[in-house]
Amino acid sequence: DEDSPSRPASDASGEYRPFVRALSEFRLCCRGVFAFAGALAVSFVDDFDLDVDVQFLLCFFVVLFGYTMKQQISHMAKHGYVPWNFSKKKASGSRKKGKQEDMYDV
């Protein structure tokens, strides 16, 4: 199987191949077709016809977001990058306005 993660990073010709796919394009396409066919089939079954509640959708979104982003958020917090930290220092207004070279100073 050429998609196995144990494949070396370079092949016999010596070409460096840094990216090893975890899921082949064929398997991805098959899963997409099965998901689409399943969703289409379920949409015609009356037992799966549920009422939509705004509070439930909001709760579902928050739970799904937390579940999918917990690794990224914990990694950012570990390395000190917290985008919602409002205690950052503001840029001082002492720069002269109108100078082009000051626009890109950091």
Side-chain angles (χ1 to χ4, degrees):
D1 187 23
E2 74 178 34
D3 293 331
S4 66
S6 63
R7 186 173 68 191
S10 62
D11 59 359
S13 67
E15 180 185 359
Y16 179 67
R17 304 184 78 181
F19 181 71
V20 178
R21 287 191 171 101
L23 182 66
S24 70
E25 292 178 27
F26 178 74
R27 288 183 183 166
L28 178 68
C29 185
C30 285
R31 288 183 182 182
V33 167
F34 286 137
F36 179 78
L40 187 64
V42 165
S43 66
F44 291 114
V45 178
D46 288 335
D47 293 335
F48 293 109
D49 188 17
L50 302 174
D51 292 332
V52 177
D53 187 28
V54 175
Q55 288 86 7
F56 176 74
L57 285 178
L58 182 63
C59 180
F60 179 73
F61 172 74
V62 169
V63 168
L64 188 64
F65 180 80
Y67 179 74
T68 56
M69 293 298 291
K70 67 181 176 183
Q71 183 179 3
Q72 285 81 3
I73 291 172
S74 65
H75 178 76
M76 291 187 324
K78 176 183 171 185
H79 293 286
Y81 178 72
V82 183
W84 51 81
N85 187 1
F86 296 110
S87 64
K88 293 181 182 179
K89 293 181 181 179
K90 301 285 183 186
S92 63
S94 63
R95 293 185 182 176
K96 294 180 181 178
K97 294 183 179 180
K99 290 182 107 184
Q100 185 66 23
E101 62 268 11
D102 285 343
M103 184 186 307
Y104 300 105
D105 286 347
V106 178

